[in-house]
Amino acid sequence: MNPREIVKIQNMSKQFPMAGAFFTALADIDLSFRAGEFTGIVGPSGSGKTTLLNIIGSLDVPSRGSAIVLEHSISDLSHKRAAQLRNRHLGFIFQTYNLFPVYTVYENVEFPLLLLKMPAAARKQAVQEAIAWVGLSDKTDSKPPQLSGGECQRVAIARAMVKRPELVLADEPTANLDAKNSHNILQTMEALNREIGTTFIFATHDDKVINYLRRKITLNDGRVVKDEIASGTAGKKAKS
Amino acid sequence: MIRFLVKGLLRDRSRLLFPIIIVTIGVLLTVFLHAWIGSLMSDIIRSSAAFSTGHVRILTKAYAENEDQIPNDLALLDVSEQLQRLQRAFPEMNWACRIRFGGLLDIADESGETQAQGPTFGMAVDLLADNRAAEMGRLNIATAVVRGHLPTRSGEILISDEFASRLGIEPGDQATFLGSTMHGSMTMGNFTIAGTLRFGVPPMDKAALIMDVADAQMLLDMHDAAGEILGYFPHAIYDHSRAAAIAAAFNEPYSHSQDEFDPVMLTLKQQNGLGDYIDMAEGFAGILVTVFIIAMSIVLWNAGLLGGLRRYGEIGVRLAIGEYKGHIYRSMIAESMVIGLVGSIIGTAVGSALVYYIQVHGIDFSSMFENSGLMMNMQVRTRVTAQTFYLGFIPGLFATVLGTMLAGIGIYRRKTAQLFKEFEG
Ligand SMILES: Nc1ncnc2c1ncn2[C@@H]1O[C@H](COP(=O)(O)OP(=O)(O)O)[C@@H](O)[C@H]1O
Ligand SMILES: [Mg+2]
């Protein structure tokens, strides 16, 4: 039996108004993602990866066609319903970490649960668990400026994972990291994918990331030019 | 969640401390400027009230018409009775008789020949009567003494220090006043110079003479008469609507009479073109303060705007994590209200404290000019008024919050994804 389909994109295009005309960032996309995937959207800069992730993440809407994410049609969501979808079911990881600088690691990770109004005891447990997943239990009281880039990205992973979302969207998560830290966070995400079953969709043009992927979708000029199964075994190779 | 936001606010200096400092400074400047302009105007009003116009002033209709000739033949009569009546009718006011007069001051040598002589301008005020403290206080006479002392008994006068030097006399010396009585006959009297004064007003410093009212009445044959009766509000604060009401009540019984010896009461604003001056000064001060408040508002508004714009990235993340736009917007506005309120309160508190300090102690420019003991106020004084306490909140609170509100509209207008681009870019 195939796992549940969590994202279905049909005949979807995205255009941006530009100097009186329109610029087509995505054209005629048909894609489907199933629960438990560890998939990357690859392609050169400007090929539309971020735009696609933003639409899947309900941060943006399609111009044409449809994108259904966890039974929600992105085009038809109100601001409020989109916020609820993100809050309950989606996690985001960004190239620039986007942590709140004045809050501690613990507080950064706690924030999504405060929005969910989770009771204090359950919240504490979930936060500590998420911080343990990324191996930062000894840094709970540090603030982002005191952490290295790799550590910051691990905090961002914990923040995305703390509510155990079905789907995590990671836009160029390794672009600001060295090789060692890149492998480190990819292994962390791979483990979470395996152990909790969280679906990961990456946007990347980093070969290190590509080596971990189990499915690779290649975009060029806003079109899907390739959608292939990948080995996804780099984690083991890198360790040896 | 609120605790979480408050924690962030308290820790983020760029979000709390700096905006508060900016708001505080803006509010402080507004409060101070307003109080200072207000006090510049009230200084002019105060000295004019003290020296010539009173807050209200009673004279005969005829005297009022020929004021510049100082026509003491048209003076008020039966003034002690008039004073009693006024005191009864308007007990909150202080009433004082004054007589202005001109003449010659003559200094004789040992043999009785004239040694020096000069025209003098006399002002009779209560130097010895019960009312002396009020009169000498408002005229600053005690601090204006340069040499000698204040008169302590009948027959002692004060003259301007410059005049005394010109005549070559000193405290303790004798001088003879030559002039005319209110009935037009010649009069002369011998007086002792008790002390000399510096007024700070050139015409008075040239040749002024100050004498007790009772002495002047004797000298000028003005038995129970006085050129004018001045009325003053408590604390030297002119209240025009009250003054107008008092004048209307006082003048009412004489309104249909043609008798030119009837008394008439004039308010401060009705004299010496002071009304026009006050209106103009108030208008000018109003414009200045308004312009300043607008300028301060624009500064603080921009601070609010910038604070909001700088945070689009943070807002983008909060949106991505699933916070509602309305929630973020409200929390931003609540933050700016806290900042505006705290800044306005601190700014107003520090500003009014400063204003009050200067109100009490003054910034004394007289020492700078080496003119100690001026009779005119060379001190800058500010005054705390009711407006002091709320004016600063216009730029402090309203502009700050308005700026944030406008910046926050961007949250709604922009696509969520766009907020990130601005953060990453
Ligand atoms: N808000 C926007 N307005 C106009 N053009 C945009 C906007 N967002 C993205 N684009 C354009 O769409 C194209 C794809 O962008 P993006 O999805 O960011 O590419 P990638 O992430 O693959 O580098 C780029 O040419 C970019 O300039
Ligand atoms: Mg991109």
Side-chain angles (χ1 to χ4, degrees), chain B residues 50-238:
Chain B
F51 279 96
S52 59
T53 61
H55 289 148
V56 295
R57 177 162 171 246
I58 301 164
L59 19 63
T60 65
K61 288 174 180 170
Y63 190 111
E65 268 162 36
N66 302 292
E67 243 206 281
D68 35 342
Q69 298 161 25
I70 319 177
N72 276 328
D73 53 322
L74 306 174
L76 296 161
L77 303 176
D78 302 325
V79 287
S80 43
E81 194 190 319
Q82 181 72 274
L83 274 178
Q84 274 173 19
R85 239 181 299 138
L86 287 165
Q87 228 107 49
R88 243 178 291 125
F90 311 104
E92 79 273 25
M93 307 277 289
N94 176 271
W95 300 96
C97 290
R98 299 259 180 101
I99 299 168
R100 288 187 283 158
F101 55 95
L104 278 176
L105 206 59
D106 185 281
I107 313 299
D109 62 13
E110 265 100 87
S111 56
E113 297 293 315
T114 293
Q115 175 191 314
Q117 199 180 55
T120 182
F121 167 74
M123 185 162 84
V125 302
D126 284 323
L127 294 175
L128 302 169
D130 290 345
N131 198 30
R132 66 177 178 275
E135 282 286 81
M136 301 209 311
R138 70 175 60 103
L139 291 169
N140 249 336
I141 289 179
T143 52
V145 171
V146 181
R147 289 182 287 163
H149 58 84
L150 296 171
T152 52
R153 55 192 165 79
S154 174
E156 289 189 326
I157 59 170
L158 297 165
I159 65 172
S160 89
D161 194 55
E162 194 185 316
F163 191 33
S165 305
R166 197 146 37 82
L167 295 176
I169 50 173
E170 301 208 345
D173 289 352
Q174 294 286 312
T176 305
F177 175 87
L178 302 161
S180 61
T181 68
M182 78 178 282
H183 309 295
S185 44
M186 166 103 168
T187 184
M188 78 197 243
N190 291 322
F191 295 90
T192 307
I193 311 293
T196 64
L197 301 177
R198 186 168 295 158
F199 297 92
V201 189
M204 292 189 77
D205 275 325
K206 217 169 141 205
L209 177 162
I210 291 188
M211 184 183 288
D212 180 57
V213 170
D215 281 353
Q217 284 171 331
M218 195 94 88
L219 175 70
L220 306 173
D221 203 8
M222 293 177 71
H223 179 66
D224 204 21
E228 57 198 16
I229 297 175
L230 303 183
Y232 292 92
F233 290 109
H235 312 301
I237 294 167
Y238 179 62

Side-chain angles (χ1 to χ4, degrees), chain B residues 367-383:
Chain B
S367 60
M368 252 152 76
F369 297 112
E370 295 264 316
N371 277 0
S372 56
L374 284 176
M375 196 160 181
M376 277 288 282
N377 228 334
M378 277 302 281
Q379 293 197 335
V380 169
R381 277 179 191 271
T382 47
R383 176 175 297 150

Side-chain angles (χ1 to χ4, degrees), chain A residues 45-46 48-51 95 171-172 203:
Chain A
S45 185
K49 305 181 295 293
T50 297
T51 307
Q95 173 180 340
D171 193 352
E172 314 267 9

Side-chain angles (χ1 to χ4, degrees), chain A residues 147-168:
Chain A
L147 300 178
S148 73
E151 286 169 332
C152 283
Q153 198 58 300
R154 284 194 274 152
V155 177
I157 295 170
R159 183 175 67 181
M161 289 298 302
V162 68
K163 60 194 174 187
R164 295 178 177 244
E166 273 104 318
L167 175 60
V168 170

Side-chain angles (χ1 to χ4, degrees), chain A residues 4 6 36 76 94 99 123 143 145 169 174 200 222 232 237 239-240:
Chain A
R4 178 166 80 100
I6 56 173
D76 305 330
F94 309 95
L99 300 176
R123 201 165 69 216
K143 289 181 187 153
L169 302 167
T174 58
F200 280 83
K237 280 187 213 154
K239 266 179 208 163
S240 58

Side-chain angles (χ1 to χ4, degrees), chain A residues 84 86 98 102-103 107 111, chain B residues 4 7-8 11 319 324 423:
Chain A
Q84 278 173 3
R86 293 195 294 271
N98 289 3
V102 295
Y103 292 103
E107 288 160 347
F111 181 73
Chain B
F4 184 86
K7 227 186 311 185
R11 285 184 201 161
L319 285 170
Y324 298 141
F423 185 69

